[in-house]
Amino acid sequence: MTKIKICGLKRLQDIEYVNEFLPDFIGFVFAGTKRKITDEKAKEFKTVLNPRIKAVGVFVNDTLEHISSLANNNIIDIIQLHGDEDKEYIENLRKITNKQIIKAVRVKNSQSVIETKKIKADYLLLDTFSDSGEYGGTGKTFNREYIPKNIGNYFLAGGLNRNNLEEIIKDVKPYAVDLSSGVETDGFKDREKIKKVIEIVRQ
């Protein structure tokens, strides 16, 4: 069964919603977007997060020290790299923490996915490429024909919501789907939307 990640939690209320409906993963964003939270806030949230839910820390070109500190103190369970981190960066990160690593790909074409696969992260996360240089969070889907066969388990992001989720899962059978703006109303996480997408994924 496809797993589900709800990304960009920034209020205690959001933690209450996910504790109620139990997605497999949630995401704390530590990069400079409207969903960014502080280390202190993440630590507070992690203490009340249901332990069955894995917390993913989302970083863009951050320092190894900052990431490993959050990982080794178990404020996050999995590391997601959403910037220009390369193979050497990941090798150095593995020397200082044993947490699993997800590497995001901004999908331009099949080749962009194949190239990122060589970095040897534990999982890829396929997200929509943006001409404006945004590191994800565009809320737009990409052409699923760009997903190569046999790339292993991957997270699928980019413009997913309750209206397209069922069709997309049937079409490409990702390991996990990753939603953020697709479960928001006016920029805030919406309890009913979270409930609905988790029902769709698990039906």
Side-chain angles (χ1 to χ4, degrees), residues 64-82:
L64 296 173
E65 293 73 24
H66 181 223
I67 296 173
S68 61
S69 164
L70 288 162
N72 295 338
N73 286 304
N74 295 314
I75 294 168
I76 58 170
D77 304 303
I78 300 171
I79 297 161
Q80 180 177 321
L81 303 174
H82 223 104

Side-chain angles (χ1 to χ4, degrees), residues 35-115:
R35 299 186 182 94
K36 181 178 181 177
I37 62 169
T38 63
D39 297 4
E40 295 71 31
K41 191 66 80 177
K43 185 177 181 181
E44 177 196 338
F45 290 168
K46 185 63 158 66
T47 59
V48 292
L49 180 70
N50 187 306
R52 286 186 282 175
I53 305 170
K54 294 265 186 270
V56 180
V58 181
F59 305 91
V60 175
N61 304 328
D62 209 328
T63 65
L64 296 173
E65 293 73 24
H66 181 223
I67 296 173
S68 61
S69 164
L70 288 162
N72 295 338
N73 286 304
N74 295 314
I75 294 168
I76 58 170
D77 304 303
I78 300 171
I79 297 161
Q80 180 177 321
L81 303 174
H82 223 104
D84 306 304
E85 304 88 1
D86 58 12
K87 189 175 180 184
E88 182 187 7
Y89 183 102
I90 288 180
E91 285 169 358
N92 288 328
L93 188 54
R94 289 200 191 278
K95 289 173 187 169
I96 53 177
T97 181
N98 61 5
K99 299 292 191 202
Q100 287 189 309
I101 298 170
I102 302 168
K103 178 67 181 97
V105 192
R106 299 186 293 284
V107 180
K108 286 186 191 177
N109 47 41
S110 296
Q111 195 57 33
S112 58
V113 182
I114 293 164
E115 285 301 314

Side-chain angles (χ1 to χ4, degrees), residues 164-177:
N164 61 18
L165 203 49
E166 189 175 355
E167 176 206 338
I168 288 171
I169 289 172
K170 279 181 181 163
D171 184 23
V172 296
K173 301 175 179 61
Y175 167 73
V177 288

Side-chain angles (χ1 to χ4, degrees), residues 10-19 45 189 194:
K10 59 183 186 182
R11 304 175 300 167
L12 209 48
Q13 214 170 339
D14 302 340
I15 303 295
E16 289 167 8
Y17 297 160
V18 295
N19 282 346
F45 290 168
K189 293 291 180 275
I194 290 172

Side-chain angles (χ1 to χ4, degrees), residues 186-203:
D186 299 327
F188 293 100
K189 293 291 180 275
D190 182 311
R191 178 185 176 277
E192 290 309 310
K193 287 182 180 177
I194 290 172
K195 177 175 185 247
K196 183 65 179 168
V197 298
I198 291 175
E199 281 173 359
I200 291 169
V201 170
R202 294 191 172 149
Q203 69 186 9

Side-chain angles (χ1 to χ4, degrees), residues 113-161:
V113 182
I114 293 164
E115 285 301 314
T116 309
K117 181 77 176 162
K118 294 175 186 172
I119 287 178
K120 297 201 178 343
D122 297 287
Y123 299 97
L124 294 182
L125 180 142
L126 310 185
D127 201 355
T128 306
F129 176 79
S130 162
D131 288 324
S132 63
E134 289 174 76
Y135 291 104
T138 62
K140 297 180 181 138
T141 55
F142 63 87
N143 186 340
R144 299 192 294 279
E145 290 178 9
Y146 291 158
I147 302 174
K149 301 283 181 255
N150 308 319
I151 59 154
N153 287 338
Y154 64 90
F155 287 69
L156 183 66
L160 305 178
N161 57 56

